[in-house]
Amino acid sequence: MKADLVIKNARVVDHDGEFFGGVAVTSGRIVLTGTNDALPDATRTIDAEGRVLMPGVIDPHCHLGVNYPYDEDMRSETAAAASGGVTTVLLYIRNKSGPYVPFYKERRAVGEANSLIDFGFHFGIQREEHIHEIPDIVRETGVRSFKCYFGYEPDNPIGIVPATDGWVYATMRHLKQIPGGVISVHCENTGIASWLKDEMKATGRQDLGVYSESRPAFCEEETIKRMIFLAERTGCPLHLVHTSVGQGPVLAAEARGRGIDVTVETCPHYLTRTCYDPDLDMKAKISPPLRDRTELEGLWRGVLDGSVYSLGTDHVPFVPKKGEDIWKEVPGVVSFPWELSLLLHFGVRQRGLSLSRLVQLNAYHPARRFGLWPKKGSLQAGADADLVLVDLDEERTVHHTGHGHCIYEGWTLKGWPVLTVSRGDVVHENGAVVERHGRGRCVIRPD
C-alpha cells in the first residue's frame, strides 16, 4: 500500500537509540519505522541525505495571549515554533476573573482556528475557587496539570496572583487523587526576594545583575525544598518549572531516591546566558532571573547526568520592552525558533550531549509527564507523525523579526532544523513556514 509520505536515508534518532533508515506516514500517523529497504512507496518521498530525523519537539512551557491578542499569538508564535522544529506546545495560561471550564472552551476554539501546530494547556491557580473546581476542570477539559506561582509580589508588572503554601497543599491533595495529575511550581521565596528587592533598589543600580542579586539562588533552592516536602507529605507528583539553579536537579534527584515523584525542567536561556553577560541589559529580565556561570554549569551537569528531566522555553512574546526601570520591566523572552539549535550547538556539539538524550529532554519526557505518550514524542508505529529533520552541519545566524525580546540576536549556531512535519503535514521546509493556520489541534481534551 502506498504511503502519503516517506522520509528515507536518515539517521533516525529516538529516545532509546538510533539506526539508519526512515519512516513512512499515512493519514497523519507513522505506519512504519525501519531501514530504507523496508519502507513503502509514497506520494511524496524525501531523501534526508544522512541528516538526523527525530520526533518533533514538544515545548511544554510557553505563554501566549499575554500582551498580544491570543488569536494573533496563536498564529505568529506557532509559526515561529514550527520553524524551530516544534510540533506541540503546551501553554501555561491564567484566568483571574472566573472559572476555567468556559475559559478552556473559548481558548481551545480560538486556538484550533488559528494554530499551525498542536497545542494544549496547563492552568494557573489564581483564585481559591480554582482549587475547589479542580475535579470539575479535569472532568470537563481533560487538563490535569496546574501551576502555582511564587516569587511574585502582589504589585508585579504582569499581574500574576502569587500562591500561598496553603494553596499548594490544597492543590496537591486534589491532584494526588487524579490519575496523571501533576502540580507545576514556580519556585522562589517571595518574602526574601521582596526584602532584598528593597535593599537593591536603594543602590540605584539598573543593570541586569541587580535583579538577579535581589532574588539569589538560595531563594529558589529554599522553595524547591519546601515544595518537595509538601509533595512527599501529600504524594502528589511535582514538576519544577524553569529551574535556574544548579542545586535544583540535585535536590530533585535526592528526593526521587526517597520515592518522591519530582521532575525538573530548565530552559535554554539558563544554559546559555548569565546575568553578567556584557551585551545584556534590563530587557533580558526573566523570572526566575538569569544567574551566574556557576549555576549555568550546575544545570549542564544535570542535563548530562539525567537529573534534569525536560526542557521548555518559557517563551512569552511581550510588546517591546521599555528599558527604563529594571523593577518595572516585564520579565520574559522568546525562544521557539532557536531552542533546538541552541541545544545542538551548545549541548551536542560543545558538551557531548547525545542525540537520544536530547530527544528525551525535548520530546519523550514532556510527552510522558503530561499524558501525551505514546501519541506524541515517539517514532513508533501508531504515533502522530510529528517529525523534525536536522542538519547538524548547517550554520545560521540568529536574526529575530517577530514579537518579543530575543537574547540571541547575532549568534551563529551550528545545527538547524530544515524540515518540520506535524501530523504528517510539512509545516516548515528549507526556511519557509507553510501557512496553514487553523490545522493545529488541542491535544488536551475531556476523556
Side-chain angles (χ1 to χ4, degrees), residues 74-196:
M74 291 301 285
R75 293 176 68 84
S76 65
E77 304 313 297
T78 60
S83 74
V86 180
T87 53
T88 304
V89 294
L90 300 181
L91 286 64
Y92 281 100
I93 57 176
R94 307 184 303 275
N95 181 23
K96 293 193 296 182
S97 60
Y100 271 116
V101 172
F103 186 73
Y104 163 86
K105 292 177 181 178
E106 182 269 335
R107 290 290 162 127
R108 172 181 159 182
V110 174
E112 289 187 333
N114 290 279
S115 183
L116 181 65
I117 58 175
D118 291 351
F119 64 95
F121 304 112
H122 320 270
F123 289 151
I125 300 296
Q126 294 290 275
R127 299 158 58 98
E128 191 170 306
E129 292 87 346
H130 290 157
I131 301 169
H132 301 302
E133 294 166 357
I134 285 174
D136 291 336
I137 293 170
V138 173
R139 183 179 62 255
E140 297 294 329
T141 73
V143 173
R144 289 170 166 80
S145 172
F146 295 81
K147 183 178 180 183
C148 286
Y149 299 79
F150 290 98
Y152 290 97
E153 297 165 281
D155 61 346
N156 67 84
I158 51 179
I160 288 176
V161 179
T164 67
D165 284 4
W167 280 17
V168 172
Y169 179 64
T171 300
M172 284 182 170
R173 288 198 304 176
H174 275 295
L175 294 176
K176 168 65 173 104
Q177 307 301 320
I178 296 169
V182 60
I183 187 170
S184 297
V185 182
H186 175 140
C187 291
E188 289 183 284
N189 187 297
T190 313
I192 295 174
S194 178
W195 188 272
L196 292 177

Side-chain angles (χ1 to χ4, degrees), residues 37-103:
D37 57 7
L39 298 172
D41 292 335
T43 302
R44 182 182 182 189
T45 298
I46 296 174
D47 187 346
E49 300 178 336
R51 291 173 292 192
V52 172
L53 183 66
M54 301 188 292
V57 174
I58 298 172
D59 189 335
H61 192 152
C62 66
H63 306 272
L64 304 181
V66 178
N67 257 180
Y68 292 97
Y70 174 61
D71 59 343
E72 183 178 338
D73 267 1
M74 291 301 285
R75 293 176 68 84
S76 65
E77 304 313 297
T78 60
S83 74
V86 180
T87 53
T88 304
V89 294
L90 300 181
L91 286 64
Y92 281 100
I93 57 176
R94 307 184 303 275
N95 181 23
K96 293 193 296 182
S97 60
Y100 271 116
V101 172
F103 186 73

Side-chain angles (χ1 to χ4, degrees), residues 27 68 96 116 217 320 379 391 402 416:
S27 299
Y68 292 97
K96 293 193 296 182
L116 181 65
L379 294 180
D391 187 335
W416 286 85

Side-chain angles (χ1 to χ4, degrees), residues 135-407:
D136 291 336
I137 293 170
V138 173
R139 183 179 62 255
E140 297 294 329
T141 73
V143 173
R144 289 170 166 80
S145 172
F146 295 81
K147 183 178 180 183
C148 286
Y149 299 79
F150 290 98
Y152 290 97
E153 297 165 281
D155 61 346
N156 67 84
I158 51 179
I160 288 176
V161 179
T164 67
D165 284 4
W167 280 17
V168 172
Y169 179 64
T171 300
M172 284 182 170
R173 288 198 304 176
H174 275 295
L175 294 176
K176 168 65 173 104
Q177 307 301 320
I178 296 169
V182 60
I183 187 170
S184 297
V185 182
H186 175 140
C187 291
E188 289 183 284
N189 187 297
T190 313
I192 295 174
S194 178
W195 188 272
L196 292 177
K197 174 184 173 181
D198 289 339
E199 293 184 354
M200 292 294 107
K201 286 178 74 173
T203 69
R205 288 170 56 188
Q206 286 287 320
D207 58 293
L208 186 61
V210 75
Y211 177 69
S212 301
E213 291 165 31
S214 75
R215 46 210 319 116
F218 77 82
C219 284
E220 189 169 336
E221 293 167 12
E222 183 278 335
T223 307
I224 288 172
K225 292 178 182 179
R226 206 166 77 245
M227 295 305 103
I228 288 173
F229 173 83
L230 292 175
E232 183 172 25
R233 185 79 178 175
T234 60
C236 178
L238 169 64
H239 189 58
L240 303 172
V241 292
H242 51 45
T243 303
S244 68
V245 295
Q247 275 298 299
V250 175
L251 294 168
E254 292 172 348
R256 285 193 299 274
R258 303 198 305 274
I260 305 169
D261 184 355
V262 54
T263 49
V264 171
E265 166 197 280
T266 194
C267 307
H269 42 265
Y270 300 125
L271 296 169
T272 58
R273 282 298 212 172
T274 81
C275 61
Y276 300 113
D277 288 355
D279 63 318
L280 295 182
D281 59 17
M282 69 174 70
K283 293 182 180 180
K285 178 181 176 181
I286 305 169
S287 182
L290 295 175
R291 303 207 181 270
D292 61 21
R293 180 64 54 175
T294 299
E295 303 301 336
L296 181 152
E297 294 297 337
L299 289 170
W300 272 115
R301 285 193 293 273
V303 167
L304 296 170
D305 70 18
S307 55
V308 167
Y309 183 79
S310 60
L311 297 172
T313 58
D314 200 3
H315 177 104
V316 54
F318 284 116
V319 295
K321 295 193 179 190
K322 295 181 178 180
E324 296 173 353
D325 184 348
I326 186 93
W327 309 110
K328 295 180 180 179
E329 188 65 88
V330 292
V333 296
V334 290
S335 302
F336 276 162
W338 317 290
E339 174 191 14
L340 183 53
S341 293
L342 288 164
L343 267 293
L344 290 168
H345 185 94
F346 291 100
V348 174
R349 185 165 298 281
Q350 292 192 1
R351 294 175 182 263
L353 179 70
S354 75
L355 289 170
S356 287
R357 173 70 178 130
L358 181 56
V359 170
Q360 291 175 14
L361 292 160
N362 263 346
Y364 176 68
H365 283 169
R368 294 300 295 258
R369 193 47 153 168
F370 298 113
L372 304 181
W373 175 267
K375 192 174 183 180
K376 300 291 187 185
S378 170
L379 294 180
Q380 67 188 44
D384 284 352
D386 294 342
L387 309 165
V388 58
L389 186 65
V390 170
D391 187 335
L392 294 178
D393 296 319
E394 181 166 337
E395 286 190 341
R396 291 188 217 160
T397 299
V398 173
H399 180 50
H400 178 51
T401 58
H403 292 164
H405 187 70
C406 170
I407 57 174

